[in-house]
Amino acid sequence: MRPKANTILICARAKELRTELEEALADAGHKVTSVSTPADAVATMRKDPIDLIVAEGLAASGAIASLRVASEGRITPILVVAPAHDVEARIAFLEAGADDVISGGFEATELTGRVTALLIRTGRIATDLGAHPRTGEIVAFFSPKGGVGTMTLAVNTAVLLAGGAGTKARTSAQPTNGVLPSSRVLLIDLDLQFGQVATHLNLMPRYDVAGLASDDQSLADPELARTYLTTHSSGLNVLAAPARPEADFRVTLEHLQRVIEIMQPSFDHILVDLGSRLDPRSLWLLEQANPHVFVLFPEIAALRAMSLLMAFLAETTPLRSRSLMVINHVFPKELLKSRDVENLLRATPAAEVPYTEVEMIRSVNEGVPLVMSRPSAPAALAMRRLAQAVIGIEQPEVVAKQERRRIFGRR
């Protein structure tokens, strides 16, 4: 994809760095303006519209916040150039409000990739989907902390996108914007040691992802590959996790890539439950996914884990597509307010799932997703909002909140 021309403001004290940034970004087709101090950057932003700032030499305390709100009416994303090999500095910049951080000594391709990802994520440019043949979009569900309901959200979202809750959900008690178009959906359980997607759907699969991964003939024939899938009553197709934990070690990254490649043309959406473990397979899928769904419970340990994950990904596996944050209240007591989570992670949640003890437990034990058994329940409605966000339908209240932030600044 060739990005549209955007106006990038470079703020760097060193002339050599300014020149390097100017050349790389101009070659990528952007309009570039350069200044040497944050004060000059603020003055420039008050005169001309700026889509993104690439800055170096900022104090982690106040300069970033000042630049983010210097353009009246909206927040400007910032990519900070940090000292090479200084992990603490990169984390400090992210905690101070930077949207992304790149280490000094970067390659031009990494710089332009991160700039393009930020522009897409903040709505300055959009990908040209019409230029490519339609294949299944990968949606990755992940949490760095287990026990926060990642699998439950993946299962219910998949059922919604497959249209399995459509008839029951369209009652007079539901808003009309809760209706979702039916799609061809595949759900892959990539918690390869103890995945329980099949249990959540009351399925007894004969085949699983480890079996497909070891079948070279099926990995070359889409018809044979689809025989490894189990179909749910909702219309959802499932590629189940192995029945035995040791099968995990037989599924390599290459196997997984071939599985995704053979399945993509047959589906509109491929949802993957990654569980809570980072390895080469989950990192590759996070790179490929659009969007990513990150799940957390509002408490300090989960927030700390999410912050560490974001810092790690920024350093090793920059995400180049939308990221959706979901707050899932898996316990009745609220340890942190949702607003605290938003302020700490600098992100507006795509959905907030309220605590639903009896209904959720019954749903899992019976193997009937909540969006089918109790479609009008508050938790089911929240998961419907998540499904809408996955396919790009923005909720009015989320849009209004984002607009208020643009007008009044970050709180």
Side-chain angles (χ1 to χ4, degrees):
M1 180 195 71
R2 182 73 171 178
K4 298 178 181 178
N6 290 89
T7 302
I8 312 294
L9 175 62
I10 295 171
C11 177
R13 293 169 298 181
K15 183 177 179 180
E16 296 81 3
L17 178 59
R18 288 202 305 272
T19 301
E20 183 180 5
L21 292 168
E22 289 169 1
E23 291 177 352
L25 294 172
D27 288 344
H30 298 292
K31 299 175 184 176
V32 180
T33 301
S34 295
V35 295
S36 58
T37 68
D40 292 336
V42 171
T44 300
M45 295 173 69
R46 287 175 177 167
K47 293 188 300 181
D48 302 308
I50 299 296
D51 294 308
L52 183 140
I53 303 165
V54 180
E56 175 266 345
L58 299 181
S61 54
I64 292 176
S66 298
L67 288 176
R68 286 182 62 84
V69 297
S71 290
E72 294 186 8
R74 68 174 183 173
I75 293 174
T76 306
I78 299 179
L79 171 64
V80 173
V81 181
H85 311 301
D86 192 337
V87 176
E88 291 185 359
R90 292 198 291 274
I91 294 174
F93 284 130
L94 289 169
E95 291 177 343
D99 295 274
D100 198 359
V101 179
I102 189 171
S103 296
F106 53 82
E107 295 290 335
T109 52
E110 180 187 4
L111 171 68
T112 55
R114 287 178 182 255
V115 165
T116 300
L118 272 181
L119 290 170
I120 292 172
R121 199 165 74 206
T122 53
R124 269 60 174 187
I125 60 174
T127 56
D128 181 12
L129 297 179
H132 304 282
R134 182 170 177 79
T135 58
E137 276 199 332
I138 300 171
V139 183
F141 284 73
F142 185 82
S143 175
K145 188 174 188 296
V148 299
T150 307
M151 183 182 301
T152 299
L153 293 179
V155 167
N156 281 268
T157 302
V159 168
L160 284 165
L161 293 179
T167 303
K168 292 185 179 181
R170 288 194 274 275
T171 67
S172 58
Q174 298 239 166
T176 56
N177 67 3
V179 176
L180 288 156
S182 296
S183 304
R184 301 170 301 162
V185 181
L186 170 63
L187 175 59
I188 301 177
D189 190 348
L190 210 67
D191 183 352
L192 295 175
Q193 293 188 330
F194 304 106
Q196 295 297 320
V197 163
T199 303
H200 279 235
L201 292 166
N202 195 25
L203 296 175
M204 298 293 290
R206 293 180 59 192
Y207 306 107
D208 56 47
V209 63
L212 175 56
S214 61
D215 186 344
D216 287 336
Q217 185 176 0
S218 293
L219 288 176
D221 186 331
E223 291 295 330
L224 287 176
R226 284 194 292 272
T227 64
Y228 280 85
L229 306 182
T230 305
T231 304
H232 183 251
S233 61
S234 63
L236 171 68
N237 287 275
V238 175
L239 184 55
R244 298 179 62 85
E246 64 267 22
D248 175 20
F249 308 111
R250 301 200 304 268
V251 183
T252 67
L253 174 57
E254 181 183 357
H255 289 145
L256 179 61
Q257 290 170 334
R258 293 179 66 188
V259 168
I260 295 295
E261 181 181 4
I262 200 71
M263 291 296 180
Q264 271 190 305
S266 300
F267 296 95
D268 300 309
H269 305 286
I270 297 178
L271 279 64
V272 187
D273 174 23
L274 296 175
S276 301
R277 187 176 68 175
L278 283 180
D279 59 26
R281 298 165 301 194
S282 58
L283 287 172
W284 178 78
L285 274 167
L286 286 171
E287 278 190 294
Q288 306 305 310
N290 181 25
H292 325 88
V293 179
F294 294 115
V295 184
L296 75 155
F297 171 65
E299 50 95 18
I300 294 297
L303 283 174
R304 177 61 176 164
M306 188 65 70
S307 179
L308 290 171
L309 171 68
M310 293 297 105
F312 174 78
L313 292 176
E315 181 181 352
T316 62
T317 313
L319 305 180
R320 306 185 187 279
S321 57
R322 293 182 298 136
S323 294
L324 303 176
M325 181 182 72
V326 181
I327 300 175
N328 191 19
H329 293 272
V330 294
F331 298 110
K333 185 176 180 181
E334 188 176 54
L335 302 180
L336 289 175
K337 299 293 184 184
S338 298
R339 167 169 248 167
D340 297 329
V341 176
E342 291 186 44
N343 290 336
L344 288 168
L345 295 180
R346 299 182 298 281
T348 301
E352 184 172 353
V353 182
Y355 175 69
T356 312
E357 180 182 21
V358 177
E359 292 174 341
M360 197 67 77
I361 292 175
R362 181 181 294 129
S363 167
V364 174
N365 287 341
E366 294 177 353
V368 182
L370 188 66
V371 296
M372 297 184 72
S373 62
R374 294 292 304 277
S376 297
L381 294 176
M383 288 187 278
R384 184 170 291 272
R385 288 192 288 273
L386 170 59
Q388 288 179 288
V390 164
I391 62 174
I393 301 175
E394 292 191 88
Q395 295 296 312
E397 62 268 27
V398 174
V399 174
K401 182 179 287 189
Q402 291 171 341
E403 290 299 322
R404 287 198 297 272
R405 287 194 172 202
R406 292 190 185 103
I407 294 172
F408 298 111
R410 190 172 297 275
R411 296 181 182 182

